[in-house]
């Protein structure tokens, strides 16, 4: 029981201080779980990261579930997962409440219009960073170009596109 | 909500289960997936509402997927909607990861999964790039906003400023600029 509480607290801390997506969370998990708690060795952690990346679901969530399971079985997996989403969900509930409440406020509208532009910049940055890492080979560029054309010109369904590329990749073993 | 349908809890849960299942290689891929599913196919939110939400979900801590689930669920059906969306979004990870951790301790030795991921990654980048193109059509209406988008891109991509300070700074800018400028 004590270990479960400890797992919860550690992952709640990770959730609370993760700004900017899964990779930020991995850095926090590294300092909290590997360095200060020493629950996993660095090698085990790298395995966790590799698994979290290639499995469905947000990376931070996958890593917490996996580490929770390693430490304490299924209860650990559940506690790790709930821990990491605990504060984000609470904070988002409060934020959403106020954003919906102030929907017609002039200042709020000004902020929202501004943030639309910011978000485009941030998402473009994510695409650039991921592209720099993922588009090294000719084959990856071909997949990228084909996928882009499918989405923009043919309005392909994103889920279908992911499914098809993953299955084809697994079959031809790229 | 503007002229949109109100989905049932089960519909919310099912959609986010699907989204959770296909969030591969980072939370950003759910942006194009949800853009299609929520704003285009199901019409639960308008395109503008969807884009507004993206700003808010990145200003808060936590995985983007979870924040988005909370926001969409709450906006559609208050607390029970948020619970259904978060549960739906979380369950695929919990199930898949628990099965892998329990049954396949040497998971990474199955090159099958790595190949699947490797092939899907360029598609993920394409999806996110396409989302940027789609969003900029509707949102970058003035030189000011184009400048803001470019600055946010440069600051995050090359100066490694995290989204939170960028969002807060721009929100403050929106408050102090005169109305005619916006």
């Amino acid at each position: 029981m004590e270990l479960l509480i400890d797992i919860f607290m550690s992952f709640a801390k990770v959730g609370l201080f993760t700004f900017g997506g899964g990779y930020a969370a991995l850095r926090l998990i590294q300092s909290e779980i590997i360095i200060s708690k020493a629950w996993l060795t660095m090698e085990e952690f790298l395995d966790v990261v590799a698994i979290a990346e290639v499995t469905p679901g947000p990376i931070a969530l996958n890593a917490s579930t996996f580490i929770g399971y390693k430490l304490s079985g299924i209860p650990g997996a559940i506690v790790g997962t709930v821990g990491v989403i605990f504060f984000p969900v609470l904070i988002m509930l409060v934020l959403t409440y106020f954003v919906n409440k102030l929907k017609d406020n002039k200042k709020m509208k000004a902020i929202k219009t501004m943030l639309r532009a910011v978000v485009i910049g941030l998402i473009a940055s994510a695409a650039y960073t991921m592209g720099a890492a993922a588009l090294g080979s000719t084959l990856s560029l071909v997949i990228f170009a084909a996928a882009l054309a499918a989405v923009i010109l043919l309005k392909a369904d994103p889920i279908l596109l992911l499914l098809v590329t993953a299955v084809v990749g697994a079959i031809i073993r790229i | 909500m503007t002229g949109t349908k109100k989905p049932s809890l089960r519909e919310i849960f099912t959609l986010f289960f699907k989204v959770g299942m296909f969030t591969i290689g980072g939370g950003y891929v759910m942006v194009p997936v949800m853009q299609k599913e929520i704003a285009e196919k199901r019409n639960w939110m308008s395109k503008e509402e969807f884009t507004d939400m993206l700003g808010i979900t990145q200003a808060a801590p936590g995985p983007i997927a979870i924040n988005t689930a909370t926001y969409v669920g709450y906006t559609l059906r208050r607390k029970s909607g948020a619970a259904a969306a978060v549960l739906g979004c979380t369950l695929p990870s919990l199930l898949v990861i628990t099965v892998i951790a329990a049954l396949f301790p040497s998971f990474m030795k199955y090159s099958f999964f790595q190949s699947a991921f490797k092939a899907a990654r360029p598609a993920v980048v394409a999806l996110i790039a396409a989302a940027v193109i789609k969003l900029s059509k509707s949102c970058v209406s003035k030189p000011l906003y184009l400048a803001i988008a470019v600055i946010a891109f440069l600051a995050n991509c090359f100066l490694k400023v995290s989204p939170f300070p960028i969002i807060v700074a721009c929100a403050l800018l929106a408050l102090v600029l005169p109305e005619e400028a916006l």
Side-chain angles (χ1 to χ4, degrees):
Chain A
M1 193 62 208
E2 217 166 281
L3 178 61
L4 286 180
I5 294 172
D6 215 8
I7 294 173
F8 180 85
M9 299 293 270
S10 295
F11 281 105
K13 210 161 133 190
V14 169
L16 181 59
F17 293 106
T18 296
F19 281 99
Y23 290 98
L26 289 181
R27 278 195 292 277
L28 278 171
I29 290 176
Q30 192 183 347
S31 64
E32 176 70 20
I33 308 306
I34 317 302
I35 296 166
S36 86
K37 296 273 181 202
W39 277 340
L40 293 180
T41 66
M42 198 59 206
E43 258 143 59
E44 286 174 309
F45 177 67
L46 290 177
D47 273 351
V48 170
V49 173
I51 291 172
E53 276 187 323
V54 300
T55 41
I59 291 168
L61 210 58
N62 290 346
S64 325
T65 312
F66 198 92
I67 295 171
Y69 185 88
K70 278 207 142 185
L71 293 172
S72 194
I74 291 173
I78 294 172
V79 164
T81 308
V82 175
V84 85
I85 67 172
F86 184 75
F87 285 115
V89 169
L90 281 186
I91 292 169
M92 274 311 296
L93 280 177
V94 175
L95 259 179
T96 310
Y97 173 81
F98 281 109
V99 169
N100 285 337
K101 194 124 227 178
L102 298 172
K103 193 156 69 174
D104 300 315
N105 179 291
K106 255 193 187 157
K107 291 285 177 197
M108 194 65 196
K109 280 187 178 162
I111 292 179
K112 281 199 212 165
T113 316
M114 181 68 92
L115 291 192
R116 284 178 198 168
V118 177
V119 159
I120 291 168
L122 291 176
I123 297 176
S125 161
Y128 183 92
T129 311
M130 289 177 78
L135 304 179
S137 64
T138 318
L139 182 58
S140 62
L141 282 171
V142 170
I143 299 175
F144 171 78
L148 196 62
V151 179
I152 293 185
L153 304 176
L154 309 175
K155 310 217 174 298
D157 188 279
I159 289 184
L160 195 65
L161 192 67
L162 290 173
L163 205 60
V164 169
T165 47
V167 169
V168 171
I171 292 171
I172 65 169
R173 297 285 166 104
I174 74 164
Chain B
M1 297 214 319
T2 47
T4 41
K5 295 175 278 187
K6 201 171 188 177
S8 71
L9 290 178
R10 181 203 287 238
E11 286 173 301
I12 296 176
F13 173 84
T14 312
L15 173 69
F16 278 96
F17 190 87
K18 220 165 128 183
V19 169
M21 204 68 212
F22 285 93
T23 305
I24 303 170
Y28 278 103
V29 73
M30 77 178 307
V31 172
V33 170
M34 299 216 335
Q35 198 175 28
K36 185 84 174 185
E37 299 287 332
I38 292 182
E40 289 171 27
K41 274 196 204 163
R42 290 180 177 70
N43 212 24
W44 288 354
M45 278 184 166
S46 69
K47 282 183 185 147
E48 290 72 28
E49 283 174 310
F50 181 80
T51 318
D52 288 346
M53 170 197 72
L54 295 178
I56 293 148
T57 53
Q58 290 186 67
I64 296 164
I66 297 298
N67 293 353
T68 311
T70 313
Y71 185 100
V72 175
Y74 187 86
T75 305
L76 293 171
R77 282 197 154 254
R78 305 292 136 203
K79 277 177 220 149
S80 46
V86 171
L87 193 65
C89 194
T90 315
L91 267 184
S93 301
L94 193 59
L95 296 176
V96 171
I97 293 288
T98 306
V99 168
I100 288 174
L103 304 179
F104 305 103
S106 52
F107 174 77
M108 289 313 286
K109 294 204 181 85
Y110 299 87
S111 61
F112 174 84
F113 289 100
Q114 280 166 310
S115 302
F117 174 70
K118 241 187 178 170
R121 263 215 323 186
V124 167
V125 179
L127 283 173
I128 300 173
V132 173
I133 297 170
K134 264 196 215 171
L135 289 172
S136 42
K137 273 187 204 152
S138 59
C139 302
V140 184
S141 50
K142 282 186 183 183
L144 170 71
Y145 297 125
L146 179 63
I148 293 286
V150 171
I151 292 169
F153 171 78
L154 295 174
N156 184 247
C157 196
F158 297 109
L159 305 177
K160 304 288 165 213
V161 184
S162 85
F164 182 67
I166 300 175
I167 287 174
V168 172
C170 292
L172 291 176
L173 186 65
L175 289 179
V176 296
L177 282 179
E179 235 173 87
E180 314 82 72
L182 293 169

